[in-house]
Amino acid sequence: MSPRLYNLTVHSLIYTIILINYNCQSTSYDLNDSFALAGNNRIMLEKVLNHYKGETKKYKAACFLLSNMRWHYTTVQVSSMDTAIITYHQKYDSLYYTIIKDYKDEQLEDSTIRYQLQELSYKAFKQNEGIIIKAPKLSSSFVWDVEHLSADFIIQHIDNAFEVWQKGPLCRHLSFNEFCECILPYRSIQTISFFENGRFLNKLMFKHLEKTNHKKLSGYLKHYHHYVSSMQSFFSFPPLNSHIGFYDLFVGQDVDCINTANNACNILRACGIPLMVNFNTAYKELKGRHYFCSFLDNNKKWRHFNPQTNCLDTIEPLQGESLNIIRNTYAAQSDSPYFTKSSNELVPTDFDSPCIKDVTSSYYETVKIELPFEEESDNNLAYLYAFNNNPSGILPGCWGKIDHERNKIEYINAMYNTLYFPAFFRGNEIVYFSSPFYIQKDSLRAGRYKIIPFPPISSSQSTGDIIVSRKYPRKRKMIDIAKKMIGGKFYGANRDDFSDSVLLYTISHAPQPYLQDFKISESRSFKYFKYASPVTNRRSNISWLEFLIDSTFHYPYTEPASPLPIMNDADTLCPYKQQLQVIEKNIYDFKSQRMFDQNMQTASSQPDIYLHLESPVRVKTIRMAPLNAENSIIPGNRYKLLYWDNRWIEIDTITAKYNYLKFKNIPLNKIYWLKNLAQGIEELPFIYRNGKQLFIYHDIITNNQQ
């Protein structure tokens, strides 16, 4: 290259860089960090910007996309996958489209369509026999998005985003800033691997979604769910060992809520539906968390839903009371803990991201509170932790900013009626700097709140004995189910059509969540027995059912009766009366029924239950239990009791002999946590008062008792 030509090239490159930086700075986007991270791929980013010179909005959108690209990365990518997946999808995508293309939304569940799809699914199953899909090849390395995205990938994606923004009935109302967050991004969650741009996804899915005749969210979601569930029935292959983007919907690794929400958000955005993915930091009473989608409607209101469900856009996606809700954003959020922390401050993993925003106030009523902070610390942040049944028994719910001048912490997104454990980090160690508490509205002062210490202060003795019967409170749903059993009736008969039936017992009180006896006064013997659920609630909801006779009565098909629960010391003194339960001759079919399988967590949903015997017997007792979660004490299981004193401290571990546990000479007036080491995941802290367990969110906080 001649010196003159070289100088012209250098000057041209310098001019291009200056022009790029000037134009993006004029729109408040800084590309310097993205260019620095891009390395050799910088030329691709510059190519994108050069492509949109003269197109003001697209250029500005490209600046937004590229400047925030520096925050996004992946640790696993698929370098190649079996092309048979693509071929197979194309074939059945076409066949599906041929079947449903002329039907309206209301007809998608018609028997004609169901039959055609079932027939196609069966043919696909037969054709798949013996076919093996090769596992994809994975590349496991940390890669910034700016290092590997091509200009063509980005340009196609931006062009598609603008096309759907201009044409789509669900996103025309978006401002430019809303468009940039809800339609434009090529990924939905910061670190989740992505594989396809919007153009690719639109080409695959829009032809199906646009068939909705209602042109509103429910119509698009109905077609999305119908398509995905139908295609899943055609892909009768074992799941692969990794995620593969769009094709995860049909044959990828077993998909959880995070990948379901991520895929749906990417696909539906590409088709003109403004979405973002949210997650809850935890549930108040349940283990785990949940990812779901939120839709920004033309009234600027967020509507929330779970993808791939029939609930569409009219449901609450969180199946239980939640802690704080976090939104995954594409753009960095200046008020996130990632930016507000001090230089050497540790931040909990879930909060250590530049691309998150606390949006709890759009779901629940939140409150801004201040707590005193007298600790020696250079940190900028502190947290409100909450109970969660994980190995540490606690996790962060929300963050607050430390005001060192005032010795205060301000929490903007605290929640009412939530048990909090205030904490901050000292180096790598978490420090709990104040007693647990919960927040209530102050009924005497409008707009004010009061902080209530938990457990309530008591002057009783410091050590003593406690007796516990549960690790988790009885669920409100289970209580309601038991109440609906009032009016259920048991009958005996000697004709199998029950034309000569005799009423044996009527349930007059809501059954308790364990085995209990109903005494039968009728002295006659019967060959057939029946339970009829109440006419107001035609579900039997019986988990455990036994018809008992005296052990002296001869009948060829019996088993020992299950013992009644022993709930306290006094019960151990009661003499045990030996009885037998009568069973049907075909024991396999008998035991396969949920009310006779001796599994407390399964229950019959049929309106009526029948027992057919070989000959008449006199039943003296009906022993039963309603549907329940079996969170009471189970004999033979091992239990660990802990209490809170700025951390969870183990008291003792014992094996249950009866349906209760006695812990002797332990610290009193504490928050306790009882763990079942053998089974189950539902556990909740409680206090012990006047000989009773009082659980948070059921007996104390929810009822506002002190």
Side-chain angles (χ1 to χ4, degrees), residues 467-471 567 631-633 659-661 674 693:
I467 295 176
V468 298
S469 59
R470 303 186 65 84
K471 65 182 179 71
M567 308 298 291
N631 284 314
S632 54
I633 304 303
N659 300 90
Y660 70 96
L661 299 167
L674 183 65
Q693 288 177 269

Side-chain angles (χ1 to χ4, degrees), residues 82 84 88 124 126-134 236-238:
D82 194 333
Y88 192 88
K126 297 301 290 183
Q127 292 173 1
N128 290 349
E129 289 182 324
I131 296 178
I132 299 176
I133 298 293
K134 297 176 184 177
S236 54
F237 303 106

Side-chain angles (χ1 to χ4, degrees), residues 52 55-59 61 158-176 179 183-184 199 202 206 269-274:
Y52 289 119
E55 297 184 72
T56 304
K57 278 195 173 180
K58 285 189 176 181
Y59 189 91
I158 292 174
D159 286 347
N160 180 78
F162 272 85
E163 286 175 20
V164 298
W165 185 23
Q166 294 160 2
K167 298 177 183 178
L170 297 186
C171 62
R172 292 173 187 160
H173 64 280
L174 298 178
S175 68
F176 179 77
F179 161 77
I183 293 290
L184 181 61
R199 175 72 72 200
N202 181 283
F206 187 68
R269 275 178 178 172
C271 296
I273 301 176

Side-chain angles (χ1 to χ4, degrees), residues 593-632:
Q593 299 177 77
R594 291 186 171 184
M595 57 283 184
F596 298 127
D597 64 0
Q598 297 191 335
N599 183 344
M600 194 66 81
Q601 296 186 49
T602 62
S604 170
S605 61
Q606 299 300 315
D608 301 319
I609 294 172
Y610 294 91
L611 179 71
H612 293 176
L613 302 179
E614 299 301 303
S615 59
V617 299
R618 182 189 173 189
V619 169
K620 287 194 170 185
T621 305
I622 295 172
R623 186 163 292 175
M624 63 83 67
L627 175 64
N628 69 95
E630 203 173 23
N631 284 314
S632 54

Side-chain angles (χ1 to χ4, degrees), residues 429-475:
E429 179 186 1
I430 186 168
V431 177
Y432 300 95
F433 64 88
S434 180
S435 299
F437 68 88
Y438 61 97
I439 310 165
Q440 279 187 354
K441 291 182 180 179
D442 191 333
S443 59
L444 301 178
R445 296 182 295 174
R448 301 296 294 274
Y449 64 86
K450 52 185 178 180
I451 292 179
I452 301 176
F454 190 87
I457 298 172
S458 173
S459 59
S460 62
Q461 59 180 321
S462 59
T463 60
D465 300 346
I466 70 171
I467 295 176
V468 298
S469 59
R470 303 186 65 84
K471 65 182 179 71
Y472 191 87
R474 195 177 180 194
K475 298 178 181 178

Side-chain angles (χ1 to χ4, degrees), residues 109 213 259 293 336 481 486 495 570 611 627 668:
E109 301 303 326
N213 50 292
N259 287 286
C293 292
S336 67
I481 286 174
I486 296 175
R495 295 178 181 171
L611 179 71
L627 175 64
L668 297 178

Side-chain angles (χ1 to χ4, degrees), residues 566 568-575 658 660:
I566 296 176
N568 51 55
D569 289 347
D571 287 348
T572 64
L573 304 176
C574 297
Y658 304 114
Y660 70 96

